[in-house]
Amino acid sequence: MFSLILSVFCVTASYARDNVFDSSVIHIDFPVNSKPYQYTQRVLYESRVDTLLTVRICSYLLRSATDSLALYDLTFEHVRIRKGAHYLDLPFSKALSKHKMHPAYFEVLRKFGMVPAGQYQSVLEFSSAKDKTLLLQRNFTQYADSVLSYGSGLRDKMNAAVAVPKSAQQKATQKIAQKNHSDVQTQAA
């Protein structure tokens, strides 16, 4: 369609307890709008056993080296994991708990069928369904790029939906600069 998704993953931290998972074989996709207002997160994995787990996934859009935007934090209970290489489709509507559901991000996903361009950080956790013992934690960095031209209206709308908000100080400085600029233009005329 309109975007190019670069699924480049950098595993920045990893934790694995016991031998349930082959921790080198795990992958997450960007969420998709499977039906109107219904979002799904796909997780690919390889497991050594059949088991029930609690799955937590949270995702952030990295704005700068020191700032991020929380997009969603979801917990799914009693998720069946099958032995071997498989995938899970986690429908957001089935999540036991939903936190930080960023409305603008999901509006872009719904309207345009793609995630906004940017760098994303996601955390995936698998815990025992019985005693909530953390079995696996993986951090993923994903990059989404756009094939839309830099100045296109569609790209501008998508980026504006998740734009970095200006601080009150930045807004005040910008207003002063605009006022000074218009005063200079008035004096020159």
Side-chain angles (χ1 to χ4, degrees), residues 87-122:
Y87 67 88
L88 298 172
D89 280 334
L90 301 171
F92 287 22
S93 61
K94 304 282 185 191
L96 176 68
S97 66
K98 300 174 193 166
H99 300 285
K100 304 173 189 164
M101 300 289 286
H102 194 278
Y105 173 79
F106 289 100
E107 187 67 14
V108 168
L109 190 58
R110 185 185 67 77
K111 281 184 176 178
F112 303 109
M114 64 186 91
V115 297
Q119 182 178 352
Y120 294 82
Q121 182 76 32
S122 298

PDB file of all heavy atoms in Angstrom, residues 87-122:
ATOM      1  N   TYR A  87       2.668 -19.423  15.763  1.00  0.00           N
ATOM      2  CA  TYR A  87       2.440 -18.009  15.997  1.00  0.00           C
ATOM      3  C   TYR A  87       1.178 -17.823  16.815  1.00  0.00           C
ATOM      4  O   TYR A  87       0.293 -18.671  16.844  1.00  0.00           O
ATOM      5  CB  TYR A  87       2.348 -17.215  14.687  1.00  0.00           C
ATOM      6  CG  TYR A  87       1.148 -17.532  13.838  1.00  0.00           C
ATOM      7  CD1 TYR A  87      -0.055 -16.861  14.020  1.00  0.00           C
ATOM      8  CD2 TYR A  87       1.218 -18.512  12.854  1.00  0.00           C
ATOM      9  CE1 TYR A  87      -1.163 -17.154  13.246  1.00  0.00           C
ATOM     10  CE2 TYR A  87       0.113 -18.809  12.065  1.00  0.00           C
ATOM     11  CZ  TYR A  87      -1.071 -18.123  12.272  1.00  0.00           C
ATOM     12  OH  TYR A  87      -2.166 -18.416  11.508  1.00  0.00           O
ATOM     13  N   LEU A  88       1.121 -16.697  17.507  1.00  0.00           N
ATOM     14  CA  LEU A  88      -0.056 -16.295  18.270  1.00  0.00           C
ATOM     15  C   LEU A  88      -0.606 -15.035  17.626  1.00  0.00           C
ATOM     16  O   LEU A  88       0.160 -14.124  17.304  1.00  0.00           O
ATOM     17  CB  LEU A  88       0.323 -15.905  19.701  1.00  0.00           C
ATOM     18  CG  LEU A  88       0.930 -16.907  20.629  1.00  0.00           C
ATOM     19  CD1 LEU A  88       1.387 -16.207  21.901  1.00  0.00           C
ATOM     20  CD2 LEU A  88      -0.122 -17.951  20.979  1.00  0.00           C
ATOM     21  N   ASP A  89      -1.893 -14.952  17.449  1.00  0.00           N
ATOM     22  CA  ASP A  89      -2.546 -13.698  17.109  1.00  0.00           C
ATOM     23  C   ASP A  89      -3.263 -13.241  18.368  1.00  0.00           C
ATOM     24  O   ASP A  89      -4.183 -13.914  18.846  1.00  0.00           O
ATOM     25  CB  ASP A  89      -3.529 -13.876  15.953  1.00  0.00           C
ATOM     26  CG  ASP A  89      -2.844 -13.901  14.608  1.00  0.00           C
ATOM     27  OD1 ASP A  89      -1.750 -13.308  14.487  1.00  0.00           O
ATOM     28  OD2 ASP A  89      -3.379 -14.508  13.676  1.00  0.00           O
ATOM     29  N   LEU A  90      -2.813 -12.133  18.924  1.00  0.00           N
ATOM     30  CA  LEU A  90      -3.363 -11.623  20.172  1.00  0.00           C
ATOM     31  C   LEU A  90      -4.306 -10.462  19.868  1.00  0.00           C
ATOM     32  O   LEU A  90      -3.859  -9.341  19.610  1.00  0.00           O
ATOM     33  CB  LEU A  90      -2.235 -11.173  21.103  1.00  0.00           C
ATOM     34  CG  LEU A  90      -1.226 -12.248  21.480  1.00  0.00           C
ATOM     35  CD1 LEU A  90      -0.038 -11.648  22.209  1.00  0.00           C
ATOM     36  CD2 LEU A  90      -1.888 -13.322  22.330  1.00  0.00           C
ATOM     37  N   PRO A  91      -5.622 -10.693  19.878  1.00  0.00           N
ATOM     38  CA  PRO A  91      -6.566  -9.596  19.627  1.00  0.00           C
ATOM     39  C   PRO A  91      -6.625  -8.663  20.838  1.00  0.00           C
ATOM     40  O   PRO A  91      -6.814  -9.119  21.969  1.00  0.00           O
ATOM     41  CB  PRO A  91      -7.895 -10.303  19.403  1.00  0.00           C
ATOM     42  CG  PRO A  91      -7.717 -11.697  19.861  1.00  0.00           C
ATOM     43  CD  PRO A  91      -6.268 -11.970  20.027  1.00  0.00           C
ATOM     44  N   PHE A  92      -6.433  -7.388  20.604  1.00  0.00           N
ATOM     45  CA  PHE A  92      -6.402  -6.421  21.692  1.00  0.00           C
ATOM     46  C   PHE A  92      -7.699  -6.450  22.497  1.00  0.00           C
ATOM     47  O   PHE A  92      -7.695  -6.205  23.691  1.00  0.00           O
ATOM     48  CB  PHE A  92      -6.160  -5.018  21.156  1.00  0.00           C
ATOM     49  CG  PHE A  92      -4.746  -4.774  20.685  1.00  0.00           C
ATOM     50  CD1 PHE A  92      -3.895  -5.811  20.324  1.00  0.00           C
ATOM     51  CD2 PHE A  92      -4.258  -3.495  20.592  1.00  0.00           C
ATOM     52  CE1 PHE A  92      -2.611  -5.577  19.895  1.00  0.00           C
ATOM     53  CE2 PHE A  92      -2.963  -3.250  20.159  1.00  0.00           C
ATOM     54  CZ  PHE A  92      -2.136  -4.280  19.813  1.00  0.00           C
ATOM     55  N   SER A  93      -8.815  -6.779  21.858  1.00  0.00           N
ATOM     56  CA  SER A  93     -10.105  -6.815  22.556  1.00  0.00           C
ATOM     57  C   SER A  93     -10.151  -7.922  23.608  1.00  0.00           C
ATOM     58  O   SER A  93     -10.962  -7.869  24.527  1.00  0.00           O
ATOM     59  CB  SER A  93     -11.242  -7.006  21.553  1.00  0.00           C
ATOM     60  OG  SER A  93     -11.087  -8.234  20.864  1.00  0.00           O
ATOM     61  N   LYS A  94      -9.289  -8.928  23.498  1.00  0.00           N
ATOM     62  CA  LYS A  94      -9.265 -10.049  24.440  1.00  0.00           C
ATOM     63  C   LYS A  94      -8.278  -9.843  25.585  1.00  0.00           C
ATOM     64  O   LYS A  94      -8.127 -10.704  26.446  1.00  0.00           O
ATOM     65  CB  LYS A  94      -8.897 -11.351  23.722  1.00  0.00           C
ATOM     66  CG  LYS A  94      -9.800 -11.691  22.562  1.00  0.00           C
ATOM     67  CD  LYS A  94     -11.097 -12.267  23.008  1.00  0.00           C
ATOM     68  CE  LYS A  94     -11.885 -12.697  21.780  1.00  0.00           C
ATOM     69  NZ  LYS A  94     -13.221 -13.019  22.051  1.00  0.00           N
ATOM     70  N   ALA A  95      -7.590  -8.704  25.597  1.00  0.00           N
ATOM     71  CA  ALA A  95      -6.600  -8.449  26.644  1.00  0.00           C
ATOM     72  C   ALA A  95      -7.289  -8.305  27.998  1.00  0.00           C
ATOM     73  O   ALA A  95      -8.337  -7.648  28.109  1.00  0.00           O
ATOM     74  CB  ALA A  95      -5.801  -7.192  26.330  1.00  0.00           C
ATOM     75  N   LEU A  96      -6.696  -8.928  29.025  1.00  0.00           N
ATOM     76  CA  LEU A  96      -7.222  -8.834  30.376  1.00  0.00           C
ATOM     77  C   LEU A  96      -7.087  -7.402  30.889  1.00  0.00           C
ATOM     78  O   LEU A  96      -7.979  -6.858  31.508  1.00  0.00           O
ATOM     79  CB  LEU A  96      -6.481  -9.800  31.304  1.00  0.00           C
ATOM     80  CG  LEU A  96      -6.864  -9.733  32.775  1.00  0.00           C
ATOM     81  CD1 LEU A  96      -8.286 -10.244  32.962  1.00  0.00           C
ATOM     82  CD2 LEU A  96      -5.901 -10.518  33.622  1.00  0.00           C
ATOM     83  N   SER A  97      -5.935  -6.798  30.616  1.00  0.00           N
ATOM     84  CA  SER A  97      -5.730  -5.407  31.015  1.00  0.00           C
ATOM     85  C   SER A  97      -5.164  -4.627  29.837  1.00  0.00           C
ATOM     86  O   SER A  97      -4.363  -5.140  29.064  1.00  0.00           O
ATOM     87  CB  SER A  97      -4.806  -5.308  32.230  1.00  0.00           C
ATOM     88  OG  SER A  97      -3.516  -5.732  31.898  1.00  0.00           O
ATOM     89  N   LYS A  98      -5.628  -3.400  29.731  1.00  0.00           N
ATOM     90  CA  LYS A  98      -5.192  -2.507  28.657  1.00  0.00           C
ATOM     91  C   LYS A  98      -4.784  -1.192  29.304  1.00  0.00           C
ATOM     92  O   LYS A  98      -5.574  -0.579  30.023  1.00  0.00           O
ATOM     93  CB  LYS A  98      -6.316  -2.241  27.663  1.00  0.00           C
ATOM     94  CG  LYS A  98      -6.842  -3.474  26.992  1.00  0.00           C
ATOM     95  CD  LYS A  98      -8.060  -3.138  26.132  1.00  0.00           C
ATOM     96  CE  LYS A  98      -8.750  -4.415  25.725  1.00  0.00           C
ATOM     97  NZ  LYS A  98     -10.058  -4.229  25.200  1.00  0.00           N
ATOM     98  N   HIS A  99      -3.565  -0.776  29.034  1.00  0.00           N
ATOM     99  CA  HIS A  99      -3.064   0.484  29.573  1.00  0.00           C
ATOM    100  C   HIS A  99      -2.416   1.272  28.446  1.00  0.00           C
ATOM    101  O   HIS A  99      -1.929   0.693  27.471  1.00  0.00           O
ATOM    102  CB  HIS A  99      -2.023   0.242  30.673  1.00  0.00           C
ATOM    103  CG  HIS A  99      -2.548  -0.540  31.827  1.00  0.00           C
ATOM    104  ND1 HIS A  99      -3.392  -0.020  32.781  1.00  0.00           N
ATOM    105  CD2 HIS A  99      -2.380  -1.835  32.169  1.00  0.00           C
ATOM    106  CE1 HIS A  99      -3.700  -0.953  33.661  1.00  0.00           C
ATOM    107  NE2 HIS A  99      -3.097  -2.071  33.314  1.00  0.00           N
ATOM    108  N   LYS A 100      -2.400   2.571  28.600  1.00  0.00           N
ATOM    109  CA  LYS A 100      -1.670   3.460  27.690  1.00  0.00           C
ATOM    110  C   LYS A 100      -2.095   3.273  26.232  1.00  0.00           C
ATOM    111  O   LYS A 100      -1.277   3.316  25.335  1.00  0.00           O
ATOM    112  CB  LYS A 100      -0.169   3.253  27.823  1.00  0.00           C
ATOM    113  CG  LYS A 100       0.358   3.418  29.227  1.00  0.00           C
ATOM    114  CD  LYS A 100       1.799   3.030  29.305  1.00  0.00           C
ATOM    115  CE  LYS A 100       2.246   2.995  30.741  1.00  0.00           C
ATOM    116  NZ  LYS A 100       3.475   2.296  30.930  1.00  0.00           N
ATOM    117  N   MET A 101      -3.347   3.040  25.976  1.00  0.00           N
ATOM    118  CA  MET A 101      -3.815   2.878  24.604  1.00  0.00           C
ATOM    119  C   MET A 101      -3.853   4.266  23.956  1.00  0.00           C
ATOM    120  O   MET A 101      -4.787   5.027  24.178  1.00  0.00           O
ATOM    121  CB  MET A 101      -5.193   2.220  24.581  1.00  0.00           C
ATOM    122  CG  MET A 101      -5.236   0.834  25.203  1.00  0.00           C
ATOM    123  SD  MET A 101      -4.422  -0.416  24.231  1.00  0.00           S
ATOM    124  CE  MET A 101      -5.584  -0.625  22.920  1.00  0.00           C
ATOM    125  N   HIS A 102      -2.823   4.587  23.173  1.00  0.00           N
ATOM    126  CA  HIS A 102      -2.709   5.928  22.594  1.00  0.00           C
ATOM    127  C   HIS A 102      -3.712   6.091  21.448  1.00  0.00           C
ATOM    128  O   HIS A 102      -3.580   5.446  20.405  1.00  0.00           O
ATOM    129  CB  HIS A 102      -1.281   6.156  22.095  1.00  0.00           C
ATOM    130  CG  HIS A 102      -1.006   7.583  21.813  1.00  0.00           C
ATOM    131  ND1 HIS A 102      -1.373   8.176  20.636  1.00  0.00           N
ATOM    132  CD2 HIS A 102      -0.432   8.545  22.566  1.00  0.00           C
ATOM    133  CE1 HIS A 102      -1.018   9.435  20.665  1.00  0.00           C
ATOM    134  NE2 HIS A 102      -0.446   9.688  21.833  1.00  0.00           N
ATOM    135  N   PRO A 103      -4.713   6.954  21.602  1.00  0.00           N
ATOM    136  CA  PRO A 103      -5.784   7.033  20.608  1.00  0.00           C
ATOM    137  C   PRO A 103      -5.309   7.485  19.218  1.00  0.00           C
ATOM    138  O   PRO A 103      -5.795   6.963  18.206  1.00  0.00           O
ATOM    139  CB  PRO A 103      -6.775   8.034  21.208  1.00  0.00           C
ATOM    140  CG  PRO A 103      -6.074   8.699  22.326  1.00  0.00           C
ATOM    141  CD  PRO A 103      -4.923   7.843  22.727  1.00  0.00           C
ATOM    142  N   ALA A 104      -4.382   8.421  19.143  1.00  0.00           N
ATOM    143  CA  ALA A 104      -3.926   8.915  17.834  1.00  0.00           C
ATOM    144  C   ALA A 104      -3.205   7.818  17.053  1.00  0.00           C
ATOM    145  O   ALA A 104      -3.370   7.698  15.838  1.00  0.00           O
ATOM    146  CB  ALA A 104      -3.020  10.130  18.006  1.00  0.00           C
ATOM    147  N   TYR A 105      -2.422   6.999  17.739  1.00  0.00           N
ATOM    148  CA  TYR A 105      -1.712   5.904  17.081  1.00  0.00           C
ATOM    149  C   TYR A 105      -2.709   4.924  16.458  1.00  0.00           C
ATOM    150  O   TYR A 105      -2.568   4.517  15.306  1.00  0.00           O
ATOM    151  CB  TYR A 105      -0.818   5.191  18.100  1.00  0.00           C
ATOM    152  CG  TYR A 105      -0.160   3.938  17.600  1.00  0.00           C
ATOM    153  CD1 TYR A 105       0.965   4.009  16.786  1.00  0.00           C
ATOM    154  CD2 TYR A 105      -0.656   2.686  17.941  1.00  0.00           C
ATOM    155  CE1 TYR A 105       1.582   2.853  16.321  1.00  0.00           C
ATOM    156  CE2 TYR A 105      -0.043   1.528  17.489  1.00  0.00           C
ATOM    157  CZ  TYR A 105       1.075   1.624  16.684  1.00  0.00           C
ATOM    158  OH  TYR A 105       1.679   0.474  16.238  1.00  0.00           O
ATOM    159  N   PHE A 106      -3.731   4.563  17.218  1.00  0.00           N
ATOM    160  CA  PHE A 106      -4.714   3.612  16.712  1.00  0.00           C
ATOM    161  C   PHE A 106      -5.603   4.233  15.633  1.00  0.00           C
ATOM    162  O   PHE A 106      -6.094   3.540  14.752  1.00  0.00           O
ATOM    163  CB  PHE A 106      -5.531   3.017  17.856  1.00  0.00           C
ATOM    164  CG  PHE A 106      -4.706   2.077  18.683  1.00  0.00           C
ATOM    165  CD1 PHE A 106      -4.159   2.477  19.889  1.00  0.00           C
ATOM    166  CD2 PHE A 106      -4.425   0.803  18.228  1.00  0.00           C
ATOM    167  CE1 PHE A 106      -3.364   1.610  20.631  1.00  0.00           C
ATOM    168  CE2 PHE A 106      -3.628  -0.065  18.958  1.00  0.00           C
ATOM    169  CZ  PHE A 106      -3.101   0.345  20.158  1.00  0.00           C
ATOM    170  N   GLU A 107      -5.798   5.538  15.688  1.00  0.00           N
ATOM    171  CA  GLU A 107      -6.552   6.218  14.631  1.00  0.00           C
ATOM    172  C   GLU A 107      -5.770   6.157  13.310  1.00  0.00           C
ATOM    173  O   GLU A 107      -6.349   5.905  12.254  1.00  0.00           O
ATOM    174  CB  GLU A 107      -6.824   7.675  15.030  1.00  0.00           C
ATOM    175  CG  GLU A 107      -7.721   8.407  14.083  1.00  0.00           C
ATOM    176  CD  GLU A 107      -9.166   7.879  14.051  1.00  0.00           C
ATOM    177  OE1 GLU A 107      -9.559   7.112  14.951  1.00  0.00           O
ATOM    178  OE2 GLU A 107      -9.884   8.227  13.101  1.00  0.00           O
ATOM    179  N   VAL A 108      -4.452   6.363  13.366  1.00  0.00           N
ATOM    180  CA  VAL A 108      -3.617   6.243  12.160  1.00  0.00           C
ATOM    181  C   VAL A 108      -3.672   4.813  11.638  1.00  0.00           C
ATOM    182  O   VAL A 108      -3.854   4.586  10.434  1.00  0.00           O
ATOM    183  CB  VAL A 108      -2.154   6.657  12.451  1.00  0.00           C
ATOM    184  CG1 VAL A 108      -1.232   6.257  11.314  1.00  0.00           C
ATOM    185  CG2 VAL A 108      -2.061   8.148  12.706  1.00  0.00           C
ATOM    186  N   LEU A 109      -3.554   3.848  12.521  1.00  0.00           N
ATOM    187  CA  LEU A 109      -3.599   2.441  12.119  1.00  0.00           C
ATOM    188  C   LEU A 109      -4.945   2.101  11.475  1.00  0.00           C
ATOM    189  O   LEU A 109      -5.001   1.418  10.453  1.00  0.00           O
ATOM    190  CB  LEU A 109      -3.336   1.560  13.343  1.00  0.00           C
ATOM    191  CG  LEU A 109      -3.100   0.082  13.123  1.00  0.00           C
ATOM    192  CD1 LEU A 109      -1.919  -0.159  12.197  1.00  0.00           C
ATOM    193  CD2 LEU A 109      -2.847  -0.605  14.459  1.00  0.00           C
ATOM    194  N   ARG A 110      -6.014   2.632  12.038  1.00  0.00           N
ATOM    195  CA  ARG A 110      -7.353   2.364  11.497  1.00  0.00           C
ATOM    196  C   ARG A 110      -7.564   3.057  10.143  1.00  0.00           C
ATOM    197  O   ARG A 110      -8.020   2.452   9.188  1.00  0.00           O
ATOM    198  CB  ARG A 110      -8.430   2.826  12.477  1.00  0.00           C
ATOM    199  CG  ARG A 110      -9.847   2.471  12.021  1.00  0.00           C
ATOM    200  CD  ARG A 110     -10.906   3.037  12.949  1.00  0.00           C
ATOM    201  NE  ARG A 110     -10.969   4.486  12.929  1.00  0.00           N
ATOM    202  CZ  ARG A 110     -11.537   5.205  11.951  1.00  0.00           C
ATOM    203  NH1 ARG A 110     -12.069   4.614  10.917  1.00  0.00           N
ATOM    204  NH2 ARG A 110     -11.571   6.514  12.032  1.00  0.00           N
ATOM    205  N   LYS A 111      -7.203   4.337  10.064  1.00  0.00           N
ATOM    206  CA  LYS A 111      -7.469   5.105   8.844  1.00  0.00           C
ATOM    207  C   LYS A 111      -6.563   4.713   7.678  1.00  0.00           C
ATOM    208  O   LYS A 111      -6.999   4.656   6.543  1.00  0.00           O
ATOM    209  CB  LYS A 111      -7.278   6.598   9.101  1.00  0.00           C
ATOM    210  CG  LYS A 111      -8.423   7.257   9.792  1.00  0.00           C
ATOM    211  CD  LYS A 111      -8.169   8.753   9.897  1.00  0.00           C
ATOM    212  CE  LYS A 111      -9.345   9.464  10.499  1.00  0.00           C
ATOM    213  NZ  LYS A 111      -9.079  10.900  10.632  1.00  0.00           N
ATOM    214  N   PHE A 112      -5.274   4.494   7.975  1.00  0.00           N
ATOM    215  CA  PHE A 112      -4.304   4.307   6.905  1.00  0.00           C
ATOM    216  C   PHE A 112      -3.836   2.865   6.749  1.00  0.00           C
ATOM    217  O   PHE A 112      -3.159   2.525   5.785  1.00  0.00           O
ATOM    218  CB  PHE A 112      -3.103   5.232   7.118  1.00  0.00           C
ATOM    219  CG  PHE A 112      -3.488   6.682   7.204  1.00  0.00           C
ATOM    220  CD1 PHE A 112      -3.411   7.359   8.411  1.00  0.00           C
ATOM    221  CD2 PHE A 112      -3.948   7.357   6.097  1.00  0.00           C
ATOM    222  CE1 PHE A 112      -3.771   8.689   8.494  1.00  0.00           C
ATOM    223  CE2 PHE A 112      -4.307   8.684   6.169  1.00  0.00           C
ATOM    224  CZ  PHE A 112      -4.229   9.357   7.373  1.00  0.00           C
ATOM    225  N   GLY A 113      -4.148   2.000   7.730  1.00  0.00           N
ATOM    226  CA  GLY A 113      -3.765   0.604   7.627  1.00  0.00           C
ATOM    227  C   GLY A 113      -2.279   0.354   7.814  1.00  0.00           C
ATOM    228  O   GLY A 113      -1.766  -0.682   7.407  1.00  0.00           O
ATOM    229  N   MET A 114      -1.576   1.293   8.426  1.00  0.00           N
ATOM    230  CA  MET A 114      -0.140   1.158   8.644  1.00  0.00           C
ATOM    231  C   MET A 114       0.261   1.952   9.885  1.00  0.00           C
ATOM    232  O   MET A 114      -0.466   2.838  10.309  1.00  0.00           O
ATOM    233  CB  MET A 114       0.636   1.666   7.430  1.00  0.00           C
ATOM    234  CG  MET A 114       0.447   3.142   7.171  1.00  0.00           C
ATOM    235  SD  MET A 114       1.203   3.703   5.662  1.00  0.00           S
ATOM    236  CE  MET A 114      -0.160   3.493   4.543  1.00  0.00           C
ATOM    237  N   VAL A 115       1.407   1.599  10.432  1.00  0.00           N
ATOM    238  CA  VAL A 115       1.928   2.349  11.568  1.00  0.00           C
ATOM    239  C   VAL A 115       2.681   3.562  11.032  1.00  0.00           C
ATOM    240  O   VAL A 115       3.233   3.524   9.932  1.00  0.00           O
ATOM    241  CB  VAL A 115       2.849   1.488  12.464  1.00  0.00           C
ATOM    242  CG1 VAL A 115       2.083   0.346  13.076  1.00  0.00           C
ATOM    243  CG2 VAL A 115       4.063   0.993  11.710  1.00  0.00           C
ATOM    244  N   PRO A 116       2.707   4.658  11.791  1.00  0.00           N
ATOM    245  CA  PRO A 116       3.489   5.815  11.365  1.00  0.00           C
ATOM    246  C   PRO A 116       4.975   5.469  11.294  1.00  0.00           C
ATOM    247  O   PRO A 116       5.465   4.612  12.036  1.00  0.00           O
ATOM    248  CB  PRO A 116       3.236   6.851  12.461  1.00  0.00           C
ATOM    249  CG  PRO A 116       1.998   6.395  13.154  1.00  0.00           C
ATOM    250  CD  PRO A 116       1.973   4.906  13.020  1.00  0.00           C
ATOM    251  N   ALA A 117       5.680   6.136  10.407  1.00  0.00           N
ATOM    252  CA  ALA A 117       7.123   5.912  10.297  1.00  0.00           C
ATOM    253  C   ALA A 117       7.788   6.272  11.617  1.00  0.00           C
ATOM    254  O   ALA A 117       7.374   7.203  12.301  1.00  0.00           O
ATOM    255  CB  ALA A 117       7.699   6.754   9.163  1.00  0.00           C
ATOM    256  N   GLY A 118       8.805   5.518  11.982  1.00  0.00           N
ATOM    257  CA  GLY A 118       9.535   5.817  13.203  1.00  0.00           C
ATOM    258  C   GLY A 118      10.219   4.587  13.765  1.00  0.00           C
ATOM    259  O   GLY A 118      10.182   3.504  13.190  1.00  0.00           O
ATOM    260  N   GLN A 119      10.852   4.796  14.902  1.00  0.00           N
ATOM    261  CA  GLN A 119      11.541   3.720  15.605  1.00  0.00           C
ATOM    262  C   GLN A 119      10.690   3.322  16.802  1.00  0.00           C
ATOM    263  O   GLN A 119      10.273   4.171  17.591  1.00  0.00           O
ATOM    264  CB  GLN A 119      12.916   4.188  16.070  1.00  0.00           C
ATOM    265  CG  GLN A 119      13.710   3.121  16.768  1.00  0.00           C
ATOM    266  CD  GLN A 119      15.102   3.602  17.173  1.00  0.00           C
ATOM    267  OE1 GLN A 119      15.532   4.676  16.807  1.00  0.00           O
ATOM    268  NE2 GLN A 119      15.789   2.788  17.933  1.00  0.00           N
ATOM    269  N   TYR A 120      10.454   2.019  16.929  1.00  0.00           N
ATOM    270  CA  TYR A 120       9.585   1.488  17.971  1.00  0.00           C
ATOM    271  C   TYR A 120      10.372   0.571  18.891  1.00  0.00           C
ATOM    272  O   TYR A 120      11.222  -0.192  18.450  1.00  0.00           O
ATOM    273  CB  TYR A 120       8.423   0.699  17.351  1.00  0.00           C
ATOM    274  CG  TYR A 120       7.480   1.565  16.561  1.00  0.00           C
ATOM    275  CD1 TYR A 120       7.760   1.922  15.248  1.00  0.00           C
ATOM    276  CD2 TYR A 120       6.314   2.048  17.128  1.00  0.00           C
ATOM    277  CE1 TYR A 120       6.901   2.727  14.523  1.00  0.00           C
ATOM    278  CE2 TYR A 120       5.445   2.849  16.415  1.00  0.00           C
ATOM    279  CZ  TYR A 120       5.754   3.190  15.116  1.00  0.00           C
ATOM    280  OH  TYR A 120       4.894   3.992  14.406  1.00  0.00           O
ATOM    281  N   GLN A 121      10.053   0.635  20.178  1.00  0.00           N
ATOM    282  CA  GLN A 121      10.632  -0.249  21.183  1.00  0.00           C
ATOM    283  C   GLN A 121       9.483  -1.047  21.777  1.00  0.00           C
ATOM    284  O   GLN A 121       8.487  -0.470  22.215  1.00  0.00           O
ATOM    285  CB  GLN A 121      11.327   0.564  22.269  1.00  0.00           C
ATOM    286  CG  GLN A 121      11.999  -0.257  23.344  1.00  0.00           C
ATOM    287  CD  GLN A 121      13.296  -0.864  22.880  1.00  0.00           C
ATOM    288  OE1 GLN A 121      13.991  -0.285  22.071  1.00  0.00           O
ATOM    289  NE2 GLN A 121      13.625  -2.022  23.383  1.00  0.00           N
ATOM    290  N   SER A 122       9.587  -2.362  21.763  1.00  0.00           N
ATOM    291  CA  SER A 122       8.534  -3.216  22.316  1.00  0.00           C
ATOM    292  C   SER A 122       9.136  -4.202  23.302  1.00  0.00           C
ATOM    293  O   SER A 122      10.261  -4.651  23.129  1.00  0.00           O
ATOM    294  CB  SER A 122       7.821  -3.991  21.201  1.00  0.00           C
ATOM    295  OG  SER A 122       7.199  -3.106  20.309  1.00  0.00           O
TER     296      SER A 122
END
